[in-house]
Amino acid sequence: MPRCRVCGRRAKYYVPWSNAWFCPEHFIRYVERSVFRVYEKYIGGRHRRVLFAVSGGKDSVSLLHILAPKLLSEGVDVSILFIDLGIEGYTSKALKIVEENASMLKIPLIVSRLRDYGYTITDVAELYFKKLLRRPVCSICGMVKRYLMNRIAYEEGYDLVLTGHTLDDAAAFTLVNILSGRIDELVKIKPYNPGNHKLIARGKPLLFTYEAETKWYVEARNLPVLRVKCPYTPVEEGLVSEIKAMLHRLEERHPGIMRMYMRNLIDKLQPAISREIKESRLVYCSVCGMPSSTDPCGFCRIRSRILELKRGVEG
Ligand code: AMP
Ligand code: FES
Ligand code: ZN
Ligand code: ZN
């Protein structure tokens, strides 16, 4: 019977990248410590009003339970943001889970509704399936989420937004960027992006945390998480999911390789690449006033297109 590395009691979780067995209690501490270390190294204690973007999935729920109590104990003002994308049969379940987590931790919850901007992701999907929109639903949804996170954080006076992006997706995504030469996208995936006026600082404290760790963390702590997937998640995400599967196979033979890759990318490769890249110039969108590389911004452009198409379909 395997024994916990810390206390010698019966172990439940084997962590190959640390070659260690842990009981649930010490597994929880192990994950929390590793996330605190990332937070302290890359993000630090300079932020006083922190907004956790929580979708209800295992990653953002783990992040919330790992970091929010620590930040609260340091006197940081903490809130949760849930973006209601209006996805039928999905959003209401996700909101319930996020509400449950918010009340467990007694943290205020802000709900931002895409419907207030005149449409929902279900509308986007209908237009996409009718071939009236060419951009995939998830791609529009991702852009909308990034925009609303920043806008709400700015309007409500937060100085940091935290998301639950984990190692597995980030490793696969950055490798695809290397393969396809999208260097400017490659340098954007970081544990910390400092803010700049209306662009609020972003942190990804789980960037070195394996998805398996958040899966076991919510299990070990018996946290409420959303078990259903968004109906618009593509079955196959093309190259990204193939690379992810390849990384998982590599990981079996070389435990820790994904984390090593991410550390090298963040600490060595990105600083070298960034010196060669010109920062894209930001302008302020003439419609909504938010910072963007284009005018109107991506959010306002797609919104006016969707509202126009909806009027066409309905009228
Ligand atoms: P995803 O883009 O779905 O992989 O989500 C990445 C991260 O974005 C999650 O870990 C959350 O922190 C955040 N997020 C995703 N969807 C939502 C949502 N509906 N509301 C708030 N935050 C979200
Ligand atoms: Fe955005 Fe599924 S959550 S398309
Ligand atoms: Zn133990
Ligand atoms: Zn705009």
Side-chain angles (χ1 to χ4, degrees):
M1 182 187 70
R3 300 256 165 213
C4 170
R5 173 158 96 179
V6 184
C7 68
R9 278 182 296 173
R10 178 192 283 268
K12 180 161 182 200
Y13 299 105
Y14 177 61
V15 180
W17 37 92
S18 293
N19 188 23
W21 282 92
F22 293 105
C23 68
E25 182 193 331
H26 288 111
F27 175 74
I28 291 168
R29 289 224 202 129
Y30 156 83
V31 174
E32 291 178 347
R33 273 208 210 113
S34 67
V35 177
F36 293 163
R37 273 202 297 272
V38 171
Y39 191 85
E40 270 151 27
K41 176 169 178 189
Y42 294 99
I43 304 173
R46 66 201 111 163
H47 302 284
R48 304 319 300 162
R49 297 202 71 216
V50 175
L51 191 57
F52 283 79
V54 182
S55 63
K58 65 183 188 333
D59 302 331
S60 52
V61 166
S62 295
L63 176 64
L64 178 72
H65 284 267
I66 294 170
L67 263 186
K70 182 175 159 68
L71 296 182
L72 285 168
S73 75
E74 292 167 1
V76 176
D77 182 5
V78 167
S79 297
I80 297 171
L81 170 65
F82 175 73
I83 300 168
D84 174 343
L85 298 155
I87 300 173
E88 277 168 28
Y90 175 75
T91 295
S92 57
K93 293 190 184 106
L95 176 58
K96 263 206 197 106
I97 294 283
V98 176
E99 281 171 343
E100 222 180 300
N101 283 288
S103 63
M104 266 172 92
L105 292 166
K106 300 191 175 57
I107 295 177
L109 168 64
I110 302 173
V111 179
S112 164
R113 294 192 165 78
L114 183 57
R115 197 173 280 106
D116 294 345
Y117 298 85
Y119 67 103
T120 64
I121 292 297
T122 296
D123 294 332
V124 172
E126 278 168 15
L127 295 170
Y128 179 77
F129 295 134
K130 284 188 181 131
K131 299 201 174 2
L132 294 169
L133 276 176
R134 263 190 296 165
R135 188 163 163 190
V137 184
C138 274
S139 154
I140 294 183
C141 175
M143 183 270 289
V144 162
K145 285 191 284 200
R146 282 190 298 277
Y147 175 88
L148 289 177
M149 277 176 207
N150 187 67
R151 179 158 169 181
I152 306 303
Y154 170 71
E155 288 175 352
E156 303 290 329
Y158 291 87
D159 54 17
L160 176 67
V161 179
L162 296 177
T163 57
H165 293 89
T166 45
L167 175 58
D168 307 45
D169 280 335
F173 186 70
T174 52
L175 270 177
V176 170
N177 286 333
I178 292 178
L179 289 173
S180 51
R182 282 196 294 263
I183 302 297
D184 47 337
E185 291 296 316
L186 178 69
V187 294
K188 281 188 202 157
I189 308 289
K190 286 181 186 166
Y192 183 66
N193 279 302
N196 173 7
H197 184 40
K198 286 185 173 180
L199 212 52
I200 305 305
R202 285 279 169 97
K204 300 184 179 72
L206 300 184
L207 205 61
F208 302 100
T209 302
Y210 284 85
E211 262 174 37
E213 291 174 310
T214 60
K215 188 174 137 216
W216 297 333
Y217 184 85
V218 297
E219 179 193 285
R221 292 205 46 191
N222 197 20
L223 299 174
V225 287
L226 189 61
R227 304 278 171 193
V228 289
K229 272 196 158 182
C230 162
Y232 307 122
T233 306
V235 187
E236 274 295 312
E237 285 174 77
L239 207 47
V240 177
S241 62
E242 277 186 53
I243 299 265
K244 202 166 151 180
M246 184 198 82
L247 284 170
H248 285 152
R249 282 197 301 276
L250 256 185
E251 190 68 42
E252 276 173 26
R253 290 201 289 136
H254 307 275
I257 195 161
M258 259 199 259
R259 188 177 277 171
M260 184 182 78
Y261 159 71
M262 194 49 72
R263 288 220 185 278
N264 285 331
L265 176 70
I266 302 295
D267 294 340
K268 296 182 188 162
L269 298 173
Q270 276 187 353
I273 299 169
S274 298
R275 285 196 285 275
E276 302 296 318
I277 293 188
K278 268 200 258 137
E279 289 231 343
S280 58
R281 238 170 39 95
L282 282 187
V283 293
Y284 290 100
C285 171
S286 51
V287 182
C288 69
M290 296 309 289
S292 164
S293 53
T294 58
D295 182 22
C297 72
F299 179 85
C300 289
R301 240 181 317 141
I302 202 88
R303 172 171 182 250
S304 81
R305 174 95 183 107
I306 290 166
L307 296 186
E308 188 187 296
L309 285 169
K310 264 187 71 174
R311 276 194 297 271
V313 171
E314 284 159 10

